Amino acid sequence: MALKWLDKRLKWVFTLPAVLFVALMMVFPLGYTIRLSFFEWSMSAINPPKWVGLDNYKELLSGERFWHDFGITFYFTFAAVIVQMVLGVLIAVLLNRKGKGKNVAKTIFLMPMVATPIAMGMVWLLIFEPSIGVLNTILKTFGLNPLEWLGSVNQVIPSLIIIDTWQWTPMICLLLLAGLTTLPQDPYESADVDGASAWQKFIYITLPLLRPTILVALMLRMIDALKTFDIIFATTQGGPGSSSETLNIYGYILAFQNFKLGLASSLLVLFFLLVLGMTLGVIWLRKRLEVAS
């Protein structure tokens, strides 16, 4: 009798662990954060959370600091992702060519991905150090003026983009390499017969065929870049001043330095909706391009 009951509900029994995992690890934290965004609370065990409705959202959206960090977040994300996508495509095409030492080059190239962000932040702090750093030593060797890198208001975001590009371009390259191996060879053979150059084959065959993989890589990297926290916190903590303070850093400051849990939660809810909206936008763009092609 029990076996018969189990057999009828087998599909529900097998999916139940996954549903429970999603509910515990994703839905509950999200629901708790949304609920907390309507309260004022300083993590006090004596004073319970106080209902304030939408006041946290109004305070956040009317503050200059939120919009400043909003701009910094998008500046960092779009600049980093564009540079990484261009480099990722070029390096993937080069690594996809036949040649000796290709597998060794792939292994070395992927090493930044396995490094811990905090450790790499410490290493890059030394590399960017204005007086003894490697980069300024190279600049001086060529007779150029040294830069302040992470210590400059104008140079800190480009410096962070360099670190992010060094660490995550291999992931773009890895995804695109997987896509390149699946491309059909017939168009290339026809192009060879017609006498097409390598550049023409890259522009008119490789890029159009690789477009779905490029959009997937773009979406994954954009989501990850928007959420970047560790490497920024390890190197600048949002400084100098607030010149590298992204929305994630601002949320951390509100929650764990100012102990404004309600305000921090409202910022995280807005940030979640922002990331979700951009992700849906990329998915919509991909479907439109598939229909158009």
Side-chain angles (χ1 to χ4, degrees), residues 32 35-36 38-44 46-52:
Y32 183 76
R35 177 183 177 275
L36 197 57
F38 298 109
F39 288 84
E40 180 183 327
W41 189 41
S42 60
M43 295 181 72
S44 170
I46 300 173
N47 299 318
K50 176 185 173 185
W51 171 264
V52 294

Side-chain angles (χ1 to χ4, degrees), residues 1-14:
M1 188 68 180
L3 289 174
K4 190 176 179 181
W5 181 90
L6 184 64
D7 188 54
K8 285 184 178 179
R9 294 162 178 82
L10 203 56
K11 61 180 180 181
W12 302 110
V13 172
F14 280 130

Side-chain angles (χ1 to χ4, degrees), residues 103-180:
N103 292 329
V104 176
K106 286 180 185 177
T107 305
I108 295 173
F109 188 67
L110 296 176
M111 286 180 68
M113 288 178 59
V114 302
T116 58
I118 300 300
M120 287 303 100
M122 296 298 106
V123 171
W124 278 97
L125 272 177
L126 291 174
I127 294 173
F128 281 133
E129 213 286 327
S131 56
I132 60 171
V134 174
L135 289 180
N136 274 351
T137 303
I138 295 172
L139 291 178
K140 291 175 185 176
T141 304
F142 288 98
L144 300 173
N145 294 325
L147 301 176
E148 295 183 16
W149 301 106
L150 296 171
S152 167
V153 171
N154 297 322
Q155 297 165 17
V156 63
I157 294 297
S159 302
L160 290 170
I161 290 171
I162 291 174
I163 302 175
D164 198 69
T165 299
W166 172 82
Q167 188 169 24
W168 291 114
T169 299
M171 188 196 80
I172 303 289
C173 183
L174 191 66
L175 292 171
L176 298 180
L177 265 175
L180 283 170

